[in-house]
DNA sequence: GATGAATGAGGCTTCATTCAT
DNA sequence: GATGAATGAAGCCTCATTCAT
């Protein structure tokens, strides 16, 4: 009740590598299989509801082996988070096309972000939902990633400002606020895009880009809303 | 995150009613105490990690009484969600000052939202994190609330558009996208504001308001970013 | 799972006495209501699965009142057993028509037995199944009743023997064995009659009577089966 | 009753395998130990009153192992019933000496029945008392066994009738009634034999055989008792 | 006479984790 | 390198039973 999602185990156990159960395999491969299984399980069931039994079974190995390689449930979860965080950051970095203007880069980065999260929903669930829902050891890992992304976006914002005007000084707090809002909006839109299949990653990216663009423009123009500002935006 | 694991239980048990442990109290009062305790516990630990033992202890009653009044962990969690969702919606509705222009109303609503979430961080955690992290019975409750808020925001957006220009027709998808992004941004900013105490509800509201304002302006102007648009926002 | 039977509470709570809930009633009446409720509940759910809550509710009183009048679950169960055992014994005794020959008396007694058990299935369940299934305090009560009936039947058997032949001496063990077998058969047939509604109390009694009759006849004739006896009964 | 509450645990835990507590053992062996312990516990305490704790302890293992191998209390009880039902049926079948006349077969079957129930009183309690006292999942298992035995007895009755007379047609209902009564009597006598140790299986079988014999004879002779029949059996 | 409020104790079940092979 | 066997600890839930009014 109330836990997990998928009773139907029609998903691939990634046994597609042609491995027969019990086959000796190099440690690295086994470890990857375990992490894959763990990400799926944690992503769908949540940290507490995921059982080492299910993870081991999904990975096609025995439980003691999981412990041998990954020590404990906590360590395993941390490893998942770390791996997926790096993968996401890498996907975004690699998606950014370097030759473009700052806004072009932002755009390509956003597309990469939405594409990656759409293609790895379990990983996204681990990072966005599960890791942040459980106490300190895990939340920190995600915070690090989030900060990395926020920093990256901040850089792009500064660059865009530079390109546009030369050196308009932007207040640091404003920029951070914008970045926080952008990332939050992105996360929300990622969820929206995952639910309503009709919305593609590209559309989500476009929506967000518009949003960011407008916010940035206002910021640079110093055109800020205040209680005294009246209508007519 | 600001929630953390909360090992140090230096928090007030809200026993402020002057009650001595073990005193007989009318059902309604006890029930409120239990819900209070449950919100705190669920908010900090998460649904699975929260134990009925801890909830009962925090409420200052024995476990069986919790079951007598609230049936099961699932029902208890649902009751928490329901109560806090209504409280949040009510807070926002009550915060909106009716005489104002649409943007003034949006502004006051946002302030109320950030104020409420800042004052009830555990409740906010329950709604934003915990409820959505666990399966169907709970997520739906929050979805209802979220949709209510999204609908409300959508109304204000339309009203603002009207006020500004008369009848610019906005594409429905754009408006929904904007609302989704806004709510997501708000959620993210609420977290930010909770973490860094230096950021007040008012500031967060201002940041978001700017954001919304700019997005709305763009939308109405038809001034949309596209890959071919070049720099100079 | 595995307990009780009737979810559908379409049975009368015996509130047919025209009592309004909460009405003060003489102790004897209240006590009877409680015992009625208890017999139904114990009969359907079994001793352990029956809860004092259900019994109190079915009786239309509060739990503490049940304790006030009947002390404990154990005492309550004992009271049920005692009352129903006496009722059954009385029904049989009253059913026996005194003027008849011994076999006529046996016949009328059997009819009374089957009629009573058919009309009070819950009471029969309490005596036959539940009481004997649980440890010492209860089994003894039923044993007493059973012995009373066995003794009564034994008397009739002796009387019948007398009537038939004058003083054929029957071995005590044989008579007791016959009586035991008879009672067991009666219990089994009572169950059979309860299940297959097509079998009436009268038919069951007839079947058993034939049985008894034949057994008794053999006994008196000294016509006993032994491994060396060959076919042709 | 002979079962009682069994406070004094002076019984052997059947640890006769020479195993030391905690030793690793193959699954099949452990499973048998658990079933043995469960039969004893269920037989003496009843389904509800038996605790998994006691069963595990009696089996010399920890509770989780019981769950690992047997899933749940319900499954465990079902497994007990199934195993003991099969054992009893097998004992009776194996006890029947095939070369004999029908009545000889009935006799040998009865002896086997009484011997088996006398040697396995807890198993008999499980089948006769406990399983039938608790709701549907369990009663059905025993019903199947009972029907199997009733059918078997019915066959023998027909055969005996054949041998005796050639083809006297017996009414189906009469035969079923006889079989029901016989089985009931047998069950009752089994209890009697268990209580009073002085009564051996052989004696019980003899008593019942006489009973059956007489009933069958009457049936075939059409010599039935009726209210109008007067004395002189 | 009657009850709403409250609890200590115990039962079923699951899980992360470790041996011994 | 890999696993079948095994468990301590903990969680959800229910129940018989008692106060205080």
């Amino acid at each position: 009740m109330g836990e997990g999602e998928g009773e139907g185990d029609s998903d691939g156990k990634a046994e597609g590598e042609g491995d027969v159960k019990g086959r000796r395999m190099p440690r690295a491969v086994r470890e990857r299989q375990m992490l894959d299984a763990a990400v799926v399980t944690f992503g769908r069931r949540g940290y507490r509801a995921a059982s080492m039994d299910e993870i081991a079974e999904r990975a096609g190995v025995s439980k003691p082996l999981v412990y041998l390689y990954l020590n404990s449930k906590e360590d395993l979860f941390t490893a998942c988070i770390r791996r997926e965080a790096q993968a996401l950051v890498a996907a975004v970095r690699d998606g950014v096309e370097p030759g473009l203007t700052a806004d072009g880069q932002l755009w390509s980065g956003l597309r990469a972000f939405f594409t990656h999260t759409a293609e790895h929903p379990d990983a996204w669930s681990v990072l966005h939902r599960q890791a942040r829902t459980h106490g300190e050891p895990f939340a920190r890992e995600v915070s690090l990633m989030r900060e990395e992304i926020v920093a990256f976006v901040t850089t792009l914002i500064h660059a865009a400002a530079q390109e546009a005007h030369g050196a308009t000084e932007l207040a640091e707090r404003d920029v951070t606020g914008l970045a926080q809002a952008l990332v939050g909006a992105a996360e929300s839109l990622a969820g929206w895009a995952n639910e309503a299949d009709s919305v593609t990653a590209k559309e989500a990216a476009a929506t967000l880009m518009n949003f960011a663009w407008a916010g940035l423009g206002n910021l640079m123009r110093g055109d800020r809303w205040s209680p005294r500002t009246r209508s007519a935006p």
Side-chain angles (χ1 to χ4, degrees), chain A:
Chain A
M1 239 101 305
E3 295 329 300
E5 238 119 68
E7 293 298 292
D9 276 330
S10 59
D11 45 54
K13 288 180 172 191
E15 291 218 53
E17 229 105 23
D19 61 326
V20 185
K21 167 141 184 235
R23 194 66 127 39
R24 300 293 176 87
M25 314 201 53
R27 171 158 182 157
V29 177
R30 277 274 197 250
E31 220 169 289
R32 199 165 62 69
Q33 289 178 346
M34 289 177 196
L35 284 177
D36 289 344
V39 167
V40 171
T41 309
F42 283 134
R44 294 182 188 180
R45 306 260 192 250
Y47 176 62
R48 295 289 296 226
S51 82
M52 294 300 271
D53 266 310
E54 180 177 349
I55 292 171
E57 191 185 2
R58 203 188 285 275
V61 295
S62 71
K63 241 186 319 178
L65 200 57
V66 178
Y67 279 89
L68 189 61
Y69 284 3
L70 286 141
N71 271 329
S72 73
K73 195 184 187 184
E74 217 171 298
D75 284 5
L76 175 54
F77 193 41
T78 305
C80 288
I81 294 171
R82 246 196 289 254
R83 187 181 81 165
E84 296 306 330
Q86 283 170 9
L88 176 53
V89 169
V92 171
R93 274 205 204 291
D94 293 359
V96 171
E97 297 170 31
L100 302 185
T101 54
D103 63 299
Q105 289 185 25
L106 189 53
W107 163 248
S108 50
L110 285 175
R111 283 200 56 177
F113 172 83
F114 285 112
T115 303
H116 187 88
T117 56
E119 281 172 355
H120 304 281
D122 294 324
W124 174 242
S125 166
V126 165
L127 292 176
H128 177 47
R129 278 174 159 48
Q130 315 304 348
R132 312 183 76 188
T133 305
H134 300 94
E136 252 324 296
F138 314 126
R140 192 172 4 258
E141 296 289 330
V142 184
S143 284
L144 290 177
M145 174 197 75
R146 205 172 203 260
E147 272 159 32
E148 198 169 347
I149 292 191
V150 168
F152 182 53
V153 171
T154 306
T155 308
L156 288 183
I157 291 175
H158 279 298
Q162 213 86 34
E163 280 175 11
H165 271 208
T168 309
E169 260 333 295
L170 301 180
E172 201 48 51
R173 158 151 307 176
D174 287 338
V175 174
T176 305
L178 176 55
Q180 284 282 357
L182 266 186
V183 173
E187 288 167 349
S188 173
L189 288 172
W192 185 46
N194 269 8
E195 279 166 36
D197 320 293
S198 52
V199 183
T200 67
K202 190 173 172 183
E203 285 173 318
T207 298
L208 186 55
M209 190 66 206
N210 265 313
F211 216 5
W213 196 240
L216 181 52
N218 268 18
L219 221 57
M220 290 190 312
R221 257 180 266 117
D223 185 7
R224 323 193 68 214
W225 187 92
S226 92
R228 272 160 311 285
T229 314
R230 295 295 314 292
S231 47

